[in-house]
Every structure is written in structure tokens, then in C-alpha cells.
Amino acid sequence: MARPTLLLLAFALALSAYSSVASADIVEHSFHVQDLTMNRLCKQQVITVVNGSLPGPTILVHEGDTLIIHVFNKSPYNLTIHWHGIFQLHSAWADGPEYVTQCPILPGNKYTYRFTITGQEGTLWWHAHAQWLRATVHGALIIRPRKGYSYPFPKPFKEFPILLGTFRTLLFILREWWNANIIEIEEQAQADGHGPNISNAYTINGWPGDLYNCSSTGTYKLKVVRGETYLLRIINVALYSELFFKIANHKMTIVAVDACYTNPMVTDVIVISPGQTIDVLLTADQPLASYYMAAHCYDSLGDAFDATTTTGIVMYENATPSTPMMPNLPAVDDTSAAFKFYSSVTSLVNGPHWAPVPLKIDEEMFLTEGLGLVPCGANNTCGAPLGLAFAASMNNESFELPTKLSMLEAFYYNLTAGIYTTDFPKYPPVVFDYTSLSNNLNKALVMTSRSTKVTKLKYNSTVQIVFQNTALVGQQSHPVHLHGFNFYVLAQGFGNYDPVIGQKMFNLINPQIRNTVGVPVGGWTVIRFTANNPGMFLLLYLLAR
């Protein structure tokens, strides 16, 4: 029998071996996706949502359950749903990215996702994976421990109507808000070759908070009982913005990230990248009063994002009405605070579903990532520097989706000709001073090309990837998300990656385990994972401009 292989796209993976997974209950939902007129920030705005709400419905399951979601696309746009962080063992077809694992669901059509959740518990989420619809088409996916098992931390208190099921949980979803149609914003950005318009506001559970105009009644409020402890499941569903989050006068204890348990870490502030989740325990141990929870962007450039602040209010039961206390958030461009937080999280060794770091490396990749430039196409000039268009790239390749057939179907039926090629480079074509600002807009380096390329990996091989940030078009922190897998974050640092120095920094004992990680501004991140999941899976990163 031929040896099974895995395709890692700069952006995707494909394998062909499967193992048996037992399921528990079957959990079934229907998603009706359609436009809704909503009033935010003094304006009526038409947005696309699921089941008439923003955020969409929270999905509650146990580890081992089989989830069935019937999606009815009543919107005017093509649509798919991605289950962010779910491994999709045995079910790569259900991962969701358009033209990667499936063709989009056309307006007026329906599609059913079916998959079993194996070896995962904690907070994940779901979102649209077609165009920029995930800005409003998203919701939480909460995985409880298998029946008869409990969480590896003290049992939180049950109190609020937003509690999810029988375990004690509070759900906070952070996102951006635009006073414009998100698809029109995307189309304009693509046509002009520049980045998207800056959002008008950030929101907590769909509400901007009372620091914005016309939002005095649009503030999320949470009542707590003094002396009790609550579990907050924080999800950043923003398109691009990394966010600082803080609650006035309160500490938080981190107990999980990306549905992977961590050593308890006490902090008064968190920073969370798009796509990441963080579970924290909050003890209501302050005097009876009201306290703002607040979030604003972390922007290493200081000018790429909306710099406003979204708020919610933590209200103590029996407190006298008063003006809430405001937390002192880090400065928008406080890279040292962001890096300290990101690099301090460690895994809970021997916790549920934990596995030791594989020490033998079979495949190595070195991926430069950042913004590049491409010609304008039909336009004479575009809005990016030098009159060109922005293009995100890895190793000087800017991924372009096919439009005729999904990549997984092409792989399965051996119809890859004209869909994708298998020559994505594992190393950059040119070695240079990646983080030197002297190379800003260096035309010999900054020009990139659009392509649809994958890299083959052997099944069950251990893969190590160095993500190296570049400074060809500014320097920013960039989140990277790997579909279908969790990975170990071995080390992070600034400047150009040095293999001798870098390896001395590796945490091979209890590194954090995630599916989404930020690559520091002007720096690097090293991850490692086992390619043991058959499928075609995206590896992608997010850029601000």
C-alpha cells in the first residue's frame, strides 16, 4: 500500500488515512443565514446573521458527541461555515473553507455538516469562511468534558441567564463593527488594492458599549454575586484586530487557551488575537459596585486599527447604582505587554488530552510572512505603496483560491490539474535581513506572485515550522491559524530567527498548545505538530492592511 501523505498548503493539508472514533450523543441544529437590519452607532445597518441574532447561536456539546448542522443559505451571498479549532478527524470534508474542503453553499441552497468531536474540550467557535462574512456570521462552540468527567479547576458558580448548559460559564465575544456593508468593504479593498476601512467600533456580545455615540442602551451588563467565581470564555472573532481586555479592579486566572488546558496564570490583562479563545476564572471579590470590562486594539504600528474602546459592565448584586470604574488598559502599541502575555502561557502537563512534545523532527519549514505587493491588474494604479496592490504572502507566494473545484475534491479524485500544484516552497526563495526597516518597499524583495500551491507532508510525521515576520511593508504582529491541528508553541522572539539561539529558548516540557498564535512584530515564532489528521487544511495568517 502506498504511504499516506499530507498536503500542507501555505495554506493547506491533505491526508488519506483514518482511524475509528466512537461517538456519544448526536447534537443537531439548524442555521438559517439571512440578512437582518440592526441599529448600532446611530445607524440602521443591514448585516448577515444566523438565526436572527448577533452573535449567532452557541453550540453546546460533550467531547465525543457527533454534531449535525443544517445550514440554509437565505442570504444573497455564497457561504460556508468553518468550525474553528475542530480537528475534523474522519471528516475533513466538513472543515468548511470555500474551495478548499467544499464549494460554497449558493444563495437559496442548503448543506449539512456532520462531524464527531474527538479529544477536545473547552471553548472554540464557528464562523463563515467565505469572503468576509465571518464579521457577523459567527458564534461560540463550547465542548464540555465527556459525561462523567470534570474540569481540572475549581467548579465555578452558576448564576446568570447567559450560562451555557450545566457547567458554569460566561461567554464574551469580542468583534469589530463597521457602519457599512462588509462585502462592499471587501470588494472595494480588493478593487483598490489597499487594506479594509478601519472599523467604527469594537463590541462585546454584539454591543459597542456606552463610550460610543448612541450606545447608552447598547452596553452588555453582567450581574455577579460577591464572593463567587465565574468562568469567562473569551473569544476574539474580530476580522483583524488583536485586543487587550481588562476588568477594572479584578484579577483573572487563565485556565485554558484554544480549548487546551493551561497552568493557572493570574493576570489583570489579557491580549487575544483574532481566532483565539481564552478561558479565565473571575472571582467577584471587590466591594459592591459596578466595574467596566473593556477592550481596545493592540496595534504595533499604532495607526492601522480603530483605537476606540468597547465596554461592558460587571454589576455586583445589591450594589448601589454608580458610575462604573474604568480599567487602565495598556497603550494601543504596547508590544512589551503583549509579548509578555503571549509568551507566559504554559500547558497543564498531564491534564485532559495533553500529550508530550514530539522530540524527533521529520519535516522542517521556514516561512517568511507579511505583506507584499502585486501589480494592479486592470487598474492603472492602486491604493498600496508604489501604486500597486497589497498581497499577503508566505515565502513570496500569495495564496489564491481556486474557483472551479474544491482542493480536497480535486485531491480525492486526482483532478488537481488547473486547481493547485504541489510545489509550495518550504524555505524562502531569497535569504535577506527579514526585519530590517532598510528593506521597506525594496522592489527586489517586496514583489510577490499569486498562486495556489501546497506542500506534501508524510502522514504521522513531526513538522516544525519557523514563522518569520518581515518588514517589507511595515512591521506588525500577525496571527497564524492552522486548521485541523493543535500545535506546540516552542518559542517566540524578536529580530531574525537564529537556529542556535532559538533552540536554546525552546520549551519542550510544557509549551502552550494552540490552534492560533501571534507572530511578534519584527520577530518569529516556532511551532511543532504531528501531521496525523487526513485532510486538506488551511494554514493562514491575518494581516491588518
Side-chain angles (χ1 to χ4, degrees), residues 31 54-61 67 81-88 94-95 115 117 120-129 132-143 164 171-176 233-241 257-259 272-279 479 481-483 514-516 540 542:
F31 280 9
L54 178 71
T58 294
I59 303 299
L60 296 172
V61 294
L67 186 57
I81 301 293
H82 170 52
W83 314 94
H84 192 106
I86 295 294
F87 295 152
Q88 298 296 353
D95 191 49
F115 53 91
I117 298 171
Q120 296 181 273
E121 56 187 71
T123 305
L124 295 172
W125 63 298
W126 57 265
H127 60 83
H129 211 298
W132 288 357
L133 287 175
R134 69 182 174 90
T136 54
V137 178
H138 57 247
L141 201 170
I142 308 301
I143 308 168
L164 308 177
L171 171 66
F172 293 85
I173 297 186
L174 309 180
R175 61 171 300 279
E176 300 143 313
R233 298 179 177 273
I234 304 169
I235 308 171
N236 184 348
V237 300
L239 282 179
Y240 299 108
S241 303
V257 296
D258 291 0
I272 183 168
S273 292
Q276 289 185 334
T277 72
I278 300 177
D279 292 357
H481 171 50
L482 176 59
H483 289 218
R514 312 204 65 135
N515 62 60
T516 305
L540 48 83
L542 303 173

Coordinates of all heavy atoms in Angstrom, one line a residue, residues 31 54-61 67 81-88 94-95 115 117 120-129 132-143 164 171-176 233-241 257-259 272-279 479 481-483 514-516 540 542:
F31 N -29.1 26.2 11.1 CA -28.6 27.5 10.9 C -29.4 28.1 9.7 O -29.3 27.7 8.6 CB -27.1 27.6 10.6 CG -26.2 27.4 11.8 CD1 -26.7 27.1 13.0 CD2 -24.9 27.7 11.6 CE1 -25.9 27.0 14.1 CE2 -24.0 27.5 12.7 CZ -24.5 27.2 14.0
L54 N -27.0 38.3 16.7 CA -25.6 38.6 16.6 C -25.1 38.7 18.1 O -25.6 39.6 18.8 CB -25.3 40.0 15.9 CG -23.9 40.4 15.9 CD1 -23.1 39.5 14.9 CD2 -23.7 41.9 15.5
P55 N -24.2 37.9 18.5 CA -23.6 36.7 17.8 C -24.7 35.7 17.5 O -25.8 35.7 18.0 CB -22.6 36.2 18.8 CG -22.3 37.2 19.8 CD -23.6 38.0 19.9
G56 N -24.3 34.7 16.7 CA -25.2 33.6 16.4 C -25.3 32.6 17.5 O -24.7 32.8 18.6
P57 N -26.1 31.5 17.3 CA -26.3 30.6 18.4 C -25.1 29.9 19.0 O -24.2 29.6 18.2 CB -27.3 29.6 17.8 CG -27.1 29.7 16.3 CD -26.7 31.1 16.1
T58 N -25.0 29.7 20.3 CA -24.0 29.0 20.9 C -24.3 27.5 20.8 O -25.4 27.0 21.1 CB -23.8 29.4 22.4 OG1 -23.4 30.7 22.5 CG2 -22.8 28.5 23.1
I59 N -23.3 26.7 20.3 CA -23.4 25.3 20.2 C -22.8 24.6 21.4 O -21.6 24.9 21.7 CB -22.7 24.8 18.9 CG1 -23.3 25.5 17.7 CG2 -22.9 23.3 18.8 CD1 -24.8 25.3 17.5
L60 N -23.6 23.8 22.1 CA -23.1 23.1 23.3 C -23.0 21.6 23.1 O -24.0 21.0 22.6 CB -24.0 23.4 24.5 CG -24.1 24.8 25.0 CD1 -25.3 24.9 26.0 CD2 -22.8 25.2 25.6
V61 N -21.9 21.0 23.3 CA -21.7 19.6 23.0 C -20.8 19.0 24.1 O -20.2 19.8 24.9 CB -21.1 19.3 21.7 CG1 -22.0 19.7 20.5 CG2 -19.7 20.0 21.5
L67 N -21.9 16.2 15.9 CA -22.6 17.4 15.7 C -23.1 17.4 14.3 O -22.4 17.2 13.3 CB -21.7 18.6 15.9 CG -22.3 20.0 15.9 CD1 -23.4 20.1 16.9 CD2 -21.2 21.0 16.2
I81 N -19.4 27.4 6.3 CA -19.1 27.5 7.8 C -17.9 26.7 8.1 O -17.8 25.6 7.8 CB -20.3 27.1 8.6 CG1 -21.6 27.8 8.2 CG2 -20.0 27.2 10.1 CD1 -21.6 29.3 8.6
H82 N -17.0 27.4 8.9 CA -15.8 26.7 9.4 C -15.9 26.6 10.9 O -16.4 27.5 11.6 CB -14.6 27.6 9.1 CG -13.3 27.1 9.8 ND1 -12.9 25.8 9.7 CD2 -12.4 27.8 10.6 CE1 -11.8 25.7 10.5 NE2 -11.5 26.9 11.0
W83 N -15.5 25.4 11.4 CA -15.6 25.1 12.8 C -14.2 25.2 13.4 O -13.4 24.3 13.5 CB -16.2 23.7 13.0 CG -17.4 23.5 12.1 CD1 -17.4 23.0 10.8 CD2 -18.7 24.0 12.3 NE1 -18.6 23.1 10.3 CE2 -19.5 23.7 11.2 CE3 -19.3 24.6 13.4 CZ2 -20.8 24.0 11.1 CZ3 -20.7 24.9 13.4 CH2 -21.4 24.6 12.2
H84 N -13.9 26.5 13.8 CA -12.6 27.0 14.1 C -12.0 26.2 15.3 O -12.5 26.3 16.4 CB -12.7 28.4 14.4 CG -11.3 29.1 14.5 ND1 -10.9 30.0 13.5 CD2 -10.3 29.1 15.4 CE1 -9.7 30.4 13.8 NE2 -9.4 29.9 15.0
G85 N -10.9 25.4 15.0 CA -10.2 24.7 16.0 C -10.6 23.2 16.1 O -9.9 22.4 16.8
I86 N -11.7 22.8 15.5 CA -12.1 21.4 15.5 C -11.2 20.6 14.6 O -10.9 21.0 13.4 CB -13.6 21.3 15.0 CG1 -14.5 21.9 16.0 CG2 -13.9 19.8 14.8 CD1 -14.6 21.3 17.3
F87 N -10.7 19.5 15.0 CA -9.8 18.7 14.3 C -10.3 18.1 13.0 O -9.6 17.9 12.0 CB -9.3 17.5 15.1 CG -8.5 17.9 16.3 CD1 -8.5 17.0 17.5 CD2 -7.7 19.0 16.4 CE1 -7.7 17.4 18.6 CE2 -7.0 19.4 17.5 CZ -7.0 18.6 18.6
Q88 N -11.6 17.8 13.0 CA -12.3 17.1 11.9 C -11.6 15.8 11.5 O -11.4 15.4 10.4 CB -12.3 18.0 10.6 CG -13.0 19.3 10.8 CD -14.5 19.2 11.0 OE1 -15.0 18.1 10.9 NE2 -15.2 20.3 11.3
A94 N -15.9 18.4 6.2 CA -16.7 19.3 7.0 C -16.0 20.5 7.5 O -16.6 21.4 8.2 CB -17.3 18.6 8.2
D95 N -14.7 20.7 7.2 CA -13.9 21.8 7.8 C -14.5 23.2 7.4 O -14.5 24.1 8.1 CB -12.4 21.7 7.4 CG -11.6 22.6 8.2 OD1 -11.7 22.6 9.4 OD2 -10.7 23.3 7.6
F115 N -19.9 16.0 11.9 CA -18.6 15.6 12.4 C -18.7 15.2 13.8 O -19.6 15.6 14.6 CB -17.6 16.7 12.1 CG -18.0 18.0 12.7 CD1 -17.6 18.4 13.9 CD2 -18.7 18.9 11.9 CE1 -17.9 19.7 14.5 CE2 -19.0 20.2 12.4 CZ -18.7 20.5 13.7
I117 N -16.7 15.2 17.5 CA -15.7 15.9 18.3 C -14.9 15.0 19.2 O -15.4 14.4 20.1 CB -16.3 17.0 19.1 CG1 -17.0 18.0 18.1 CG2 -15.3 17.8 20.0 CD1 -17.9 19.0 18.8
Q120 N -11.1 16.7 22.3 CA -11.1 18.2 22.5 C -12.2 18.6 23.5 O -13.3 18.0 23.5 CB -11.4 18.9 21.2 CG -10.3 18.7 20.2 CD -10.6 19.5 18.9 OE1 -11.3 19.0 18.0 NE2 -10.0 20.7 18.8
E121 N -11.9 19.5 24.4 CA -12.9 20.1 25.3 C -12.5 21.5 25.6 O -11.3 21.8 25.7 CB -13.1 19.3 26.5 CG -11.9 19.0 27.4 CD -12.2 18.1 28.5 OE1 -12.4 16.9 28.2 OE2 -12.2 18.5 29.7
G122 N -13.4 22.4 25.7 CA -13.1 23.8 26.0 C -13.9 24.7 25.1 O -15.0 24.4 24.6
T123 N -13.3 25.9 24.9 CA -14.0 26.9 24.1 C -13.4 27.0 22.7 O -12.2 27.3 22.5 CB -13.9 28.3 24.8 OG1 -14.3 28.2 26.1 CG2 -14.6 29.4 24.0
L124 N -14.3 26.8 21.7 CA -13.9 27.1 20.3 C -15.0 27.9 19.7 O -15.9 28.5 20.4 CB -13.7 25.8 19.5 CG -12.5 24.9 20.0 CD1 -12.5 23.6 19.3 CD2 -11.2 25.6 19.8
W125 N -15.1 28.1 18.4 CA -16.1 28.9 17.8 C -16.3 28.5 16.3 O -15.5 27.7 15.8 CB -15.8 30.4 17.9 CG -14.6 30.9 17.3 CD1 -13.3 30.5 17.5 CD2 -14.5 31.9 16.3 NE1 -12.4 31.3 16.7 CE2 -13.2 32.1 15.9 CE3 -15.5 32.7 15.6 CZ2 -12.8 33.0 15.0 CZ3 -15.1 33.6 14.7 CH2 -13.7 33.8 14.4
W126 N -17.4 29.0 15.8 CA -17.7 28.7 14.3 C -17.9 30.1 13.6 O -18.3 31.1 14.3 CB -18.9 27.8 14.2 CG -20.2 28.4 14.8 CD1 -20.7 28.1 16.1 CD2 -21.1 29.4 14.3 NE1 -21.8 28.9 16.3 CE2 -22.1 29.6 15.3 CE3 -21.1 30.0 13.1 CZ2 -23.1 30.5 15.0 CZ3 -22.2 31.0 12.8 CH2 -23.2 31.2 13.8
H127 N -17.6 30.1 12.3 CA -17.8 31.3 11.6 C -17.9 31.0 10.1 O -17.4 30.0 9.6 CB -16.7 32.3 11.9 CG -15.3 31.8 11.5 ND1 -14.8 31.9 10.3 CD2 -14.3 31.3 12.3 CE1 -13.5 31.4 10.3 NE2 -13.2 31.0 11.5
A128 N -18.4 32.0 9.4 CA -18.4 31.9 7.9 C -17.0 31.9 7.4 O -16.1 32.5 8.0 CB -19.2 33.0 7.3
H129 N -16.8 31.1 6.3 CA -15.4 31.1 5.7 C -15.5 31.3 4.2 O -15.0 30.6 3.4 CB -14.7 29.8 6.0 CG -13.2 29.9 6.1 ND1 -12.4 30.3 5.1 CD2 -12.4 29.6 7.1 CE1 -11.2 30.3 5.4 NE2 -11.1 29.9 6.7
W132 N -15.8 38.0 3.6 CA -15.6 38.5 4.9 C -16.9 38.3 5.8 O -17.1 39.0 6.8 CB -15.2 40.0 4.9 CG -13.8 40.2 4.4 CD1 -12.9 39.2 4.1 CD2 -13.2 41.5 4.2 NE1 -11.7 39.8 3.7 CE2 -11.9 41.2 3.7 CE3 -13.6 42.8 4.4 CZ2 -11.0 42.2 3.4 CZ3 -12.8 43.8 4.1 CH2 -11.5 43.5 3.6
L133 N -17.7 37.4 5.4 CA -19.0 37.2 6.2 C -18.8 36.9 7.6 O -19.7 37.0 8.5 CB -19.9 36.2 5.5 CG -20.5 36.6 4.2 CD1 -21.2 35.4 3.6 CD2 -21.5 37.8 4.4
R134 N -17.6 36.3 8.0 CA -17.4 36.0 9.4 C -17.5 37.2 10.3 O -17.6 37.0 11.5 CB -16.1 35.2 9.6 CG -14.8 36.0 9.4 CD -13.6 35.1 9.6 NE -12.4 35.8 9.3 CZ -11.6 36.4 10.2 NH1 -12.1 36.5 11.5 NH2 -10.5 37.0 9.9
A135 N -17.4 38.4 9.8 CA -17.5 39.6 10.6 C -18.8 39.6 11.4 O -18.9 40.1 12.5 CB -17.5 40.8 9.8
T136 N -19.9 39.0 10.8 CA -21.2 38.9 11.5 C -21.8 37.5 11.6 O -22.7 37.3 12.4 CB -22.2 39.8 10.8 OG1 -22.3 39.5 9.5 CG2 -21.8 41.3 11.0
V137 N -21.3 36.6 10.8 CA -21.7 35.2 10.8 C -20.8 34.4 11.7 O -19.7 33.9 11.2 CB -21.9 34.6 9.4 CG1 -22.3 33.1 9.5 CG2 -22.8 35.4 8.6
H138 N -21.1 34.3 13.0 CA -20.2 33.6 13.9 C -20.9 33.3 15.2 O -21.9 33.9 15.5 CB -18.9 34.4 14.2 CG -19.2 35.8 14.8 ND1 -18.9 37.0 14.1 CD2 -19.7 36.2 15.9 CE1 -19.3 38.0 14.8 NE2 -19.8 37.6 15.9
G139 N -20.3 32.4 16.0 CA -20.9 32.1 17.3 C -19.9 31.2 18.1 O -18.9 30.7 17.5
A140 N -20.2 30.9 19.3 CA -19.4 30.0 20.2 C -19.7 28.6 20.0 O -20.8 28.2 19.7 CB -19.6 30.4 21.6
L141 N -18.7 27.8 20.1 CA -18.8 26.3 20.1 C -18.1 25.8 21.4 O -16.9 25.8 21.5 CB -18.1 25.7 18.9 CG -18.6 24.3 18.4 CD1 -18.0 24.0 17.1 CD2 -18.2 23.2 19.4
I142 N -19.0 25.4 22.4 CA -18.5 25.0 23.7 C -18.5 23.5 23.8 O -19.6 22.9 23.6 CB -19.4 25.7 24.8 CG1 -19.5 27.2 24.6 CG2 -18.8 25.3 26.2 CD1 -18.2 27.9 24.6
I143 N -17.4 22.9 24.2 CA -17.2 21.5 24.3 C -17.1 21.1 25.8 O -16.0 21.4 26.4 CB -16.0 20.9 23.5 CG1 -16.1 21.4 22.0 CG2 -16.0 19.4 23.5 CD1 -14.8 21.2 21.2
L164 N -24.0 28.6 30.0 CA -24.1 27.7 28.9 C -24.2 26.2 29.4 O -23.2 25.7 29.8 CB -22.9 27.8 27.9 CG -22.6 29.2 27.5 CD1 -21.3 29.3 26.6 CD2 -23.8 29.8 26.7
L171 N -20.0 33.8 28.6 CA -19.4 33.9 27.3 C -19.2 35.4 26.8 O -20.2 36.1 26.9 CB -20.3 33.2 26.3 CG -20.0 33.3 24.8 CD1 -18.7 32.7 24.5 CD2 -21.1 32.7 24.0
F172 N -18.0 35.7 26.4 CA -17.8 37.1 25.9 C -17.2 37.0 24.5 O -16.2 36.3 24.3 CB -16.8 37.8 26.8 CG -17.4 38.1 28.2 CD1 -17.3 37.2 29.2 CD2 -18.0 39.3 28.4 CE1 -17.9 37.4 30.4 CE2 -18.6 39.6 29.6 CZ -18.5 38.6 30.6
I173 N -17.9 37.7 23.6 CA -17.4 37.6 22.2 C -17.0 39.0 21.8 O -17.8 40.0 21.9 CB -18.4 37.1 21.2 CG1 -18.7 35.6 21.6 CG2 -18.0 37.2 19.8 CD1 -19.7 34.9 20.7
L174 N -15.7 39.2 21.4 CA -15.2 40.5 21.0 C -15.1 40.6 19.5 O -14.6 39.7 18.9 CB -13.8 40.7 21.6 CG -13.7 40.4 23.1 CD1 -12.2 40.6 23.6 CD2 -14.6 41.3 23.9
R175 N -15.6 41.7 18.9 CA -15.5 41.8 17.5 C -15.6 43.2 17.1 O -15.7 44.1 17.9 CB -16.7 41.0 16.9 CG -18.1 41.6 17.3 CD -19.2 41.0 16.5 NE -19.1 41.3 15.1 CZ -19.4 42.4 14.5 NH1 -19.9 43.4 15.2 NH2 -19.3 42.6 13.2
E176 N -15.4 43.4 15.8 CA -15.4 44.8 15.2 C -16.8 45.1 14.7 O -17.6 44.2 14.4 CB -14.4 44.8 14.0 CG -13.0 44.5 14.5 CD -12.3 43.7 13.4 OE1 -12.9 42.8 12.9 OE2 -11.1 44.1 13.1
R233 N -15.6 32.7 29.1 CA -15.0 32.1 27.9 C -14.9 33.3 26.8 O -15.9 33.7 26.3 CB -15.9 31.0 27.3 CG -16.0 29.8 28.3 CD -16.9 28.7 27.7 NE -17.0 27.6 28.6 CZ -16.1 26.6 28.6 NH1 -15.1 26.6 27.8 NH2 -16.3 25.6 29.4
I234 N -13.7 33.7 26.6 CA -13.5 34.9 25.8 C -13.0 34.5 24.4 O -12.1 33.7 24.3 CB -12.4 35.8 26.5 CG1 -12.8 36.2 27.9 CG2 -12.2 37.1 25.7 CD1 -11.8 36.8 28.7
I235 N -13.7 35.0 23.4 CA -13.4 34.7 22.0 C -13.2 36.0 21.3 O -14.0 36.9 21.3 CB -14.6 33.9 21.4 CG1 -15.0 32.7 22.2 CG2 -14.2 33.5 20.0 CD1 -16.2 32.0 21.7
N236 N -12.1 36.0 20.5 CA -11.9 37.2 19.6 C -12.3 36.8 18.2 O -11.6 36.0 17.5 CB -10.4 37.6 19.6 CG -10.1 38.9 18.8 OD1 -11.0 39.3 18.0 ND2 -9.0 39.4 18.9
V237 N -13.5 37.3 17.8 CA -14.0 37.0 16.5 C -13.8 38.2 15.5 O -14.4 38.2 14.5 CB -15.5 36.6 16.5 CG1 -15.6 35.3 17.4 CG2 -16.3 37.7 17.0
A238 N -12.9 39.1 15.9 CA -12.6 40.3 15.0 C -12.0 39.8 13.8 O -11.3 38.8 13.8 CB -11.8 41.3 15.8
L239 N -12.2 40.5 12.7 CA -11.5 40.1 11.4 C -10.0 40.2 11.5 O -9.3 39.3 11.0 CB -12.0 41.0 10.3 CG -13.4 40.7 9.7 CD1 -13.7 41.7 8.6 CD2 -13.5 39.3 9.2
Y240 N -9.5 41.3 12.1 CA -8.1 41.5 12.1 C -7.5 41.9 13.4 O -6.3 41.7 13.6 CB -7.7 42.6 11.0 CG -8.2 42.2 9.6 CD1 -9.3 42.8 9.0 CD2 -7.5 41.3 8.9 CE1 -9.7 42.5 7.8 CE2 -7.9 40.9 7.7 CZ -9.0 41.5 7.1 OH -9.3 41.2 5.8
S241 N -8.2 42.5 14.3 CA -7.7 43.2 15.4 C -7.3 42.3 16.6 O -8.1 41.6 17.1 CB -8.7 44.3 16.0 OG -9.0 45.2 14.9
V257 N -6.5 27.9 26.8 CA -6.5 28.7 25.6 C -6.8 27.8 24.4 O -6.3 26.6 24.4 CB -5.1 29.4 25.4 CG1 -4.8 30.4 26.5 CG2 -4.0 28.3 25.3
D258 N -7.6 28.2 23.5 CA -7.9 27.4 22.3 C -8.3 26.0 22.6 O -7.9 25.1 21.9 CB -6.7 27.4 21.3 CG -6.4 28.8 20.7 OD1 -7.2 29.7 21.0 OD2 -5.5 28.9 19.9
A259 N -9.1 25.9 23.7 CA -9.6 24.5 24.1 C -8.5 23.6 24.5 O -8.6 22.4 24.3 CB -10.5 23.9 23.0
I272 N -5.5 39.1 23.1 CA -6.1 37.9 22.4 C -6.1 38.2 20.9 O -6.6 39.3 20.5 CB -7.5 37.6 23.0 CG1 -8.1 36.4 22.3 CG2 -8.4 38.8 22.9 CD1 -9.3 35.8 23.0
S273 N -5.6 37.3 20.1 CA -5.5 37.5 18.7 C -6.8 37.1 18.0 O -7.6 36.2 18.6 CB -4.4 36.7 18.1 OG -3.1 37.2 18.5
P274 N -7.1 37.5 16.8 CA -8.3 37.0 16.1 C -8.3 35.5 16.0 O -7.2 34.9 15.6 CB -8.2 37.7 14.7 CG -7.4 38.9 15.0 CD -6.4 38.6 16.0
G275 N -9.4 34.9 16.3 CA -9.5 33.4 16.2 C -9.1 32.7 17.5 O -9.5 31.6 17.7
Q276 N -8.5 33.4 18.4 CA -8.1 32.8 19.7 C -9.2 32.7 20.7 O -10.1 33.6 20.7 CB -6.9 33.4 20.3 CG -5.6 33.2 19.6 CD -4.4 33.8 20.3 OE1 -4.5 34.8 21.1 NE2 -3.2 33.3 20.1
T277 N -9.2 31.8 21.6 CA -10.1 31.8 22.8 C -9.2 31.7 24.0 O -8.2 31.1 24.0 CB -11.1 30.6 22.7 OG1 -10.4 29.4 23.0 CG2 -11.7 30.5 21.3
I278 N -9.8 32.3 25.1 CA -9.1 32.2 26.4 C -10.2 32.0 27.5 O -11.1 32.8 27.5 CB -8.3 33.5 26.7 CG1 -7.2 33.7 25.6 CG2 -7.7 33.4 28.1 CD1 -6.4 35.0 25.8
D279 N -10.0 31.0 28.3 CA -10.9 30.7 29.4 C -10.3 31.3 30.7 O -9.1 30.9 31.0 CB -11.2 29.2 29.6 CG -12.0 28.7 28.4 OD1 -12.4 29.4 27.5 OD2 -12.2 27.4 28.4
P479 N -1.3 37.2 13.5 CA -1.8 35.9 13.9 C -1.8 34.8 12.8 O -2.0 35.1 11.7 CB -3.3 36.1 14.3 CG -3.4 37.6 14.4 CD -2.4 38.2 13.4
H481 N -3.2 30.8 12.0 CA -4.1 29.8 12.4 C -4.0 28.5 11.5 O -3.9 28.6 10.3 CB -5.6 30.3 12.2 CG -6.6 29.2 12.4 ND1 -6.7 28.3 13.5 CD2 -7.7 28.9 11.6 CE1 -7.7 27.5 13.3 NE2 -8.3 27.8 12.2
L482 N -3.9 27.4 12.1 CA -3.7 26.1 11.4 C -5.0 25.3 11.6 O -5.4 25.0 12.7 CB -2.6 25.3 12.0 CG -2.3 23.9 11.4 CD1 -2.1 24.0 9.9 CD2 -1.1 23.2 12.1
H483 N -5.7 25.0 10.5 CA -6.9 24.2 10.5 C -6.5 22.7 10.8 O -5.5 22.2 10.3 CB -7.6 24.2 9.2 CG -8.3 25.6 8.9 ND1 -9.5 25.7 8.3 CD2 -7.9 26.8 9.1 CE1 -9.8 26.9 8.1 NE2 -8.8 27.7 8.6
R514 N -2.0 25.4 21.0 CA -3.0 26.3 20.5 C -3.3 25.8 19.0 O -2.7 25.0 18.5 CB -2.5 27.7 20.4 CG -1.8 28.3 21.6 CD -1.9 29.8 21.7 NE -3.3 30.2 21.8 CZ -3.6 31.2 22.6 NH1 -2.8 31.8 23.4 NH2 -4.9 31.6 22.7
N515 N -4.3 26.5 18.4 CA -4.5 26.4 17.0 C -4.3 27.7 16.3 O -4.3 27.8 15.1 CB -5.9 25.9 16.7 CG -7.0 26.8 17.2 OD1 -7.1 28.0 16.8 ND2 -7.9 26.3 18.1
T516 N -4.1 28.8 17.1 CA -3.9 30.2 16.6 C -2.8 30.8 17.4 O -2.9 30.8 18.6 CB -5.2 31.0 16.6 OG1 -6.2 30.3 15.9 CG2 -4.9 32.4 15.9
L540 N -3.2 29.6 7.6 CA -3.3 31.0 7.1 C -3.0 32.0 8.2 O -3.0 31.7 9.4 CB -4.7 31.2 6.6 CG -5.9 30.8 7.4 CD1 -6.3 31.8 8.4 CD2 -7.1 30.6 6.4
L542 N -3.3 36.4 9.3 CA -4.1 37.6 9.2 C -3.3 38.8 9.2 O -2.4 38.9 9.9 CB -5.2 37.6 10.3 CG -6.1 36.4 10.4 CD1 -6.9 36.6 11.7 CD2 -7.0 36.3 9.2

